[in-house]
Amino acid sequence: MSKVLIVAEHLDGKLNAATAKCVSAAQALKPDSIDIVVLAADPAGVAAEAAQIAGVAKVLAVANAANAHAIAQVLAPQVAKIAAGYSHVFGPSTTFGKDLMPCVAALLGVAQVSDVMAVEGSHTFKRPIYAGNAIITVEAPTDHAVVATVRTASWPEAARGGSATVEAVNVDAALPTHTRYVGIKAGKSDRPDLQSAKRVVSGGRGVGSAENFRVIYALADKLGAAVGASRAAVDAGYVPNELQVGQTGKIIAPELYIAVGISGAIQHLTGIKDAGTIVAINKDGDAPIFEIADIGLVGDLFALLPELQAALQ
């Protein structure tokens, strides 16, 4: 009998779309049941939202003041306790999941399966390797629980309309005292979240400077899109690193991805392989980005972007 436990990702009382994508991956296992655990200081709102995901049997709400901030070392012992009786424990392959799930796997004494992009069987999965240039099939041991992160770019969000029961759960787990929340520094933006946005406009080294990046922000605002960047742009200090797209940044799958002044290093292409339509704007017609782009514009981005914005009026 297979039972899947999914660790919900949430922020500011809102459920992240990555959780519904984990449900899609869990459904591919054809399990007997899928449950979601919400850990928060006050999980009621997020739990109610999670209960609406189709295919979910039960939502476990764990209220604890220590869960006010998503600290892996605090959440992991609680998840490990709850995981007893489950055959699979899934979390999203986001910053949150990459931080938390290895801790859960370590506490359960198992090896983690990372970036699950396809389910071949109850313990057999496909995942990318070599910056996404190869896909490997991995088989987890069948004698203990499978702890895995789900490559959210490879799965659709599970449908809404569910009516799972919400159950308050008390977890008796020893929480660490050596790890504490100090603070968070994050940029504020009214734009969509990069990891879940349907449209993304990214800038690269070709943009030239942090000041010049205003043309990227302007186009993104016109399209209602999130803003991303290549590693070269981040390393050059044009934008903060939370905007980085690629192997060492965020793996995304928007419906529309516009790459401006990005040459297309393999590490960047890894982050956008699952995008719907890719548009490349670059003055170098031989740039690797054009090999994978659906639409390519060769020219000066500072001339083309104003024209594109004018056409969008």
Side-chain angles (χ1 to χ4, degrees):
M1 183 177 77
S2 60
K3 294 179 61 181
V4 183
L5 178 68
I6 294 171
V7 183
E9 178 176 354
H10 56 91
L11 182 65
D12 297 330
K14 299 293 183 182
L15 189 69
N16 191 293
T19 304
K21 294 185 176 185
C22 287
V23 173
S24 288
Q27 289 172 334
L29 289 166
K30 296 180 173 56
D32 296 289
S33 67
I34 300 173
D35 295 345
I36 294 178
V37 59
V38 177
L39 301 106
D42 180 8
V46 176
E49 196 176 347
Q52 297 175 15
I53 301 175
V56 176
K58 185 165 54 178
V59 177
L60 308 176
V62 181
N64 190 325
N67 297 337
H69 304 286
I71 301 174
Q73 288 73 21
V74 173
L75 302 184
Q78 300 172 73
V79 174
K81 282 281 187 179
I82 296 170
Y86 287 91
S87 59
H88 298 72
V89 184
F90 282 2
S93 190
T94 57
T95 302
F96 166 81
K98 289 177 179 179
D99 187 35
L100 171 62
M101 300 308 288
C103 297
V104 174
L107 289 172
L108 294 177
V110 302
Q112 176 181 290
V113 180
S114 301
D115 291 329
V116 170
M117 60 187 302
V119 173
E120 299 289 299
S122 65
H123 289 72
T124 307
F125 311 93
K126 287 187 179 296
R127 63 176 301 268
I129 58 171
Y130 299 130
N133 285 301
I135 307 300
I136 189 173
T137 299
V138 296
E139 187 168 347
T142 58
D143 58 349
H144 51 61
V146 175
V147 176
T149 57
V150 173
R151 180 183 167 93
T152 54
S154 301
W155 299 91
E157 291 182 40
R160 303 290 168 167
S163 57
T165 58
V166 177
E167 178 183 328
V169 176
N170 292 317
V171 181
D172 182 18
L175 303 184
T177 57
H178 63 280
T179 302
R180 61 189 175 89
Y181 176 80
V182 174
I184 184 169
K185 293 182 179 180
K188 297 291 183 182
S189 175
D190 293 329
R191 298 184 182 91
D193 174 66
L194 175 59
Q195 202 134 30
S196 59
K198 302 298 183 184
R199 294 179 291 276
V200 175
V201 180
S202 279
R205 192 198 308 272
V207 177
S209 68
E211 182 181 354
N212 287 347
F213 230 81
R214 67 182 185 274
V215 299
I216 303 298
Y217 291 122
L219 179 58
D221 291 341
K222 183 70 69 175
L223 294 170
V227 171
S230 68
R231 178 169 181 170
V234 171
D235 287 348
Y238 301 167
V239 292
N241 61 11
E242 63 256 30
L243 298 187
Q244 185 177 322
V245 174
Q247 184 180 8
T248 53
K250 291 181 171 65
I251 307 296
I252 59 175
E255 295 174 359
L256 173 65
Y257 185 77
I258 302 178
V260 182
I262 295 175
S263 62
I266 187 62
Q267 290 85 355
H268 186 79
L269 301 185
T270 296
I272 61 170
K273 282 183 178 293
D274 297 300
T277 299
I278 298 175
V279 178
I281 300 174
N282 201 300
K283 66 180 180 181
D284 179 7
D286 295 323
I289 191 74
F290 288 116
E291 296 179 11
I292 58 99
D294 300 288
I295 301 170
L297 291 174
V298 179
D300 183 356
L301 68 90
F302 297 106
L304 291 175
L305 261 58
E307 292 181 21
L308 184 55
Q309 286 189 60
L312 290 170
Q313 294 288 355

